[in-house]
Amino acid sequence: MSSAGLDATAVHRSRVDEAGRIGRRQGWRRVVPDPWHFLLFPLSIVMVIPFLWMVITSFMTDAEINRFPPTLFPHELFTGGYTAVLQDSDFPRWFLNTLFVSAVVVGSQLVMCSLAGYAFSRIRFSGKRFMFPLLLATALIPFQLTVIPTFLLFYKLHLINTLGALIVPQLTSVFGIYLMSSFFQSFPRELEEAAQIDGCTRLGTFFRIVLPLARPALAALAIITFIYAWNDLFWPLIAITSTKLYTVQLGLTTFQGIHRTEWSAIMAGTVLTTAPVLLVFLIGQRRFVQALTGAVKG
């Protein structure tokens, strides 16, 4: 056999041996779990316990909840808390109010934050280097410092005690602009240049090429915005006075009085309030992680 044949045989054997080692290593990893799992599994249990306790408590009576020492499980499934929330209160209306506000806020931020983020990452204009850091600096200002001017402004605009008062302050956000800008900076320019060479305008390139490929960042922004809008309590507590316009977080406070607290109703309402947030995150968690990874790399 020639030397070339021997070399080819040696290379083939080395590749087979390397493939075998990789296969055995992967098989060993399937048998032995990652050491990080031994740390993450107990931590995940610690994070899940409060949610499980909330669900179990929602099926207890107030007497069982207030008992000392506390009972771990109800003697029988008590649905009075869910009855008080769904039938004896305006919780369905509060749920629809919160859903409407959250949907409008999410849609607005997806459009406005993506446009602003694309402008800061791609378009050259005067004052860009000064405006973007100034915009990020506004995120350091606590909302509590601006709540009085915001209230006075909305009062003069006759938006107090309307759902518009909950929507307008959240139409866009600094975090959303920063997230989309960071994602667009890691986006390859060649695709945009090819589309512009074919005669597509910059706006058309954005909506036809860039935005469809930015679905991970859009999903992450939608999840974060939805959770924040859904769980907001401070501003609705100030801007809304009519019980018909309450959000779910504001409505849950009505079950707690000065002398008596309906713990079973509060726990049942909390379970119903937490379920949409948990469902949204479970649906979009993969794209959420992809977007955050892209933003960190950018």
Side-chain angles (χ1 to χ4, degrees):
M1 184 179 294
S2 63
S3 59
L6 293 175
D7 293 339
T9 303
V11 170
H12 177 70
R13 288 180 177 177
S14 63
R15 290 179 178 178
V16 171
D17 294 339
E18 182 67 21
R21 286 193 296 269
I22 294 175
R24 289 191 296 271
R25 191 181 303 124
Q26 292 178 351
W28 178 256
R29 289 179 179 177
R30 293 190 187 100
V31 176
V32 179
D34 195 326
W36 282 104
H37 293 173
F38 295 102
L39 176 63
L40 296 178
F41 183 72
L43 292 177
S44 62
I45 295 178
V46 172
M47 298 297 293
V48 171
I49 285 177
F51 180 77
L52 294 178
W53 177 251
M54 178 182 64
V55 175
I56 294 173
T57 308
S58 66
F59 291 101
M60 293 183 181
T61 62
D62 291 341
E64 290 178 328
I65 296 175
N66 295 323
R67 182 177 300 173
F68 185 83
T71 57
L72 297 179
F73 299 97
H75 296 292
E76 59 181 9
L77 293 181
F78 175 73
T79 59
Y82 290 92
T83 302
V85 170
L86 297 176
Q87 297 182 6
D88 301 337
S89 68
D90 291 331
F91 186 86
R93 180 186 292 270
W94 302 337
F95 190 92
L96 292 178
N97 291 340
T98 311
L99 185 63
F100 174 75
V101 172
S102 301
V104 174
V105 169
V106 169
S108 173
Q109 289 214 18
L110 289 180
V111 175
M112 300 184 68
C113 292
S114 59
L115 287 172
Y118 184 75
F120 278 113
S121 62
R122 286 292 190 265
I123 301 177
R124 297 180 180 179
F125 54 91
S126 58
K128 174 182 175 180
R129 294 184 178 179
F130 173 76
M131 290 178 60
F132 193 65
L134 182 63
L135 180 67
L136 296 179
T138 60
L140 302 177
I141 303 175
F143 180 72
Q144 289 79 3
L145 295 180
T146 61
V147 64
I148 295 179
T150 304
F151 179 84
L152 295 176
L153 177 62
F154 279 72
Y155 178 78
K156 293 181 179 180
L157 294 175
H158 303 286
L159 290 177
I160 294 298
N161 201 30
T162 63
L163 293 181
L166 307 181
I167 295 174
V168 175
Q170 304 183 70
L171 291 178
T172 186
S173 66
V174 177
F175 173 79
I177 296 175
Y178 173 75
L179 177 64
M180 298 306 299
S181 177
S182 299
F183 187 85
F184 290 142
Q185 286 178 358
S186 62
F187 192 82
R189 295 177 179 266
E190 291 77 8
L191 297 177
E192 302 174 56
E193 295 174 354
Q196 293 175 1
I197 291 175
D198 292 338
C200 192
T201 62
R202 181 178 291 275
L203 197 61
T205 302
F206 173 75
F207 283 105
R208 297 179 181 179
I209 305 298
V210 178
L211 206 58
L213 297 178
R215 285 176 292 182
L218 294 174
L221 179 59
I223 293 173
I224 296 173
T225 304
F226 180 82
I227 293 175
Y228 181 82
W230 187 272
N231 293 328
D232 189 19
L233 174 63
F234 181 71
W235 177 241
L237 189 62
I238 297 174
I240 302 298
T241 57
S242 175
T243 56
K244 299 296 183 181
L245 299 176
Y246 275 8
T247 59
V248 288
Q249 302 297 338
L250 192 56
L252 289 177
T253 61
T254 60
F255 297 105
Q256 184 174 2
I258 299 176
H259 303 289
R260 185 172 181 271
T261 301
E262 302 178 25
W263 287 111
S264 60
I266 290 178
M267 290 300 174
T270 305
V271 171
L272 297 175
T273 303
T274 308
V277 178
L278 184 62
L279 181 62
V280 168
F281 182 79
L282 290 177
I283 293 175
Q285 62 177 339
R286 180 177 299 179
R287 294 191 180 275
F288 179 80
V289 175
Q290 292 177 357
L292 293 184
T293 303
V296 171
K297 291 181 179 179

